[in-house]
């Protein structure tokens, strides 16, 4: 997986872009417009096309798709958090998510798989907010790749953080396990955001 932080072409796909836009969208419509315009700029660079040739829409479930050029055959996923836009592009179904690390927030443990809860509670308390953000970003990226969103219960499958920048997903509804890649975004030396991406083969 290639990770990029500027809207330039990736050397190969799959790739994920994490773009600090500096924008502060205040509602759903503004976040959607920011995601769409950032995506159009990146996809235009990736396909060596003018931005006017790129159109991003949504399917009936709300999953983003590349409307034009339709023949590109690419899957995409988008996320927005704290002025960052994440875009994942792949030849197979893909999901990306970005979550804020909330050091003072109570962790919603009931939304996690029992295996995830056990792993989280085994960590020293100061490490839990970052680990939870990593887990939740991975879970949301996975259901986006499935195309279900959280119509699929988040506690029905388990994410395991296998390394600082990698994780696996065990899903009883799929024959093979999936794996993903993650990144931590720091602000002033503190972990502030966790990003994750999953590509389903």
């Amino acid at each position: 997986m290639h990770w990029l932080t500027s809207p330039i072409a990736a050397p190969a796909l799959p790739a994920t872009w994490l773009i600090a836009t500096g924008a502060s969208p205040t509602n759903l419509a503004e976040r959607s417009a920011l995601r769409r315009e950032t995506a159009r700029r990146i996809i235009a660079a990736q396909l060596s096309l003018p931005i006017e040739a790129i159109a991003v829409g949504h399917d009936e479930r709300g999953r983003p798709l590349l409307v034009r050029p339709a023949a590109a055959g690419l899957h995409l996923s988008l996320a927005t958090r704290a002025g960052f836009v994440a875009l994942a592009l792949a030849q197979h179904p893909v999901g990306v998510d970005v979550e804020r690390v909330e050091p003072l927030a109570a962790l919603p443990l009931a939304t996690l798989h029992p295996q995830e809860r056990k792993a989280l509670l085994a960590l020293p308390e100061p490490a839990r907010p970052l680990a939870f953000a990593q887990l939740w970003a991975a879970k949301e990226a996975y259901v986006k790749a499935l195309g279900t969103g959280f119509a699929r219960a988040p506690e029905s499958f388990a994410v395991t953080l296998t390394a600082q920048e990698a994780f696996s997903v065990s899903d009883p509804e799929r024959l093979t396990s999936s794996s993903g890649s993650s990144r931590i975004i720091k602000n002033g030396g503190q972990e502030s955001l966790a990003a994750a991406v999953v590509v389903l083969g």
Side-chain angles (χ1 to χ4, degrees), residues 1 15 124 149 167 181:
M1 173 64 65
F167 60 89
S181 177

Side-chain angles (χ1 to χ4, degrees), residues 54-134:
I54 308 300
V56 174
H58 294 88
D59 67 14
E60 64 281 354
R61 289 182 167 181
R63 182 161 53 173
L65 53 83
L66 188 57
V67 176
R68 197 175 62 243
L74 294 177
H75 296 263
L76 69 145
S77 183
L78 297 165
T80 315
R81 186 77 68 203
F84 277 81
V85 171
L87 164 71
L89 275 181
Q91 281 95 2
H92 300 282
V94 63
V96 70
D97 189 50
V98 182
E99 293 296 329
R100 195 190 304 266
V101 180
E102 303 279 7
L104 303 178
L107 300 178
L109 298 177
T111 62
L112 298 178
H113 186 278
Q115 179 181 313
E116 296 166 341
R117 284 199 298 272
K118 183 178 177 183
L120 199 62
L121 293 173
L123 294 173
E125 199 163 337
R128 292 175 192 170
L130 173 60
F132 178 80
Q134 290 176 289

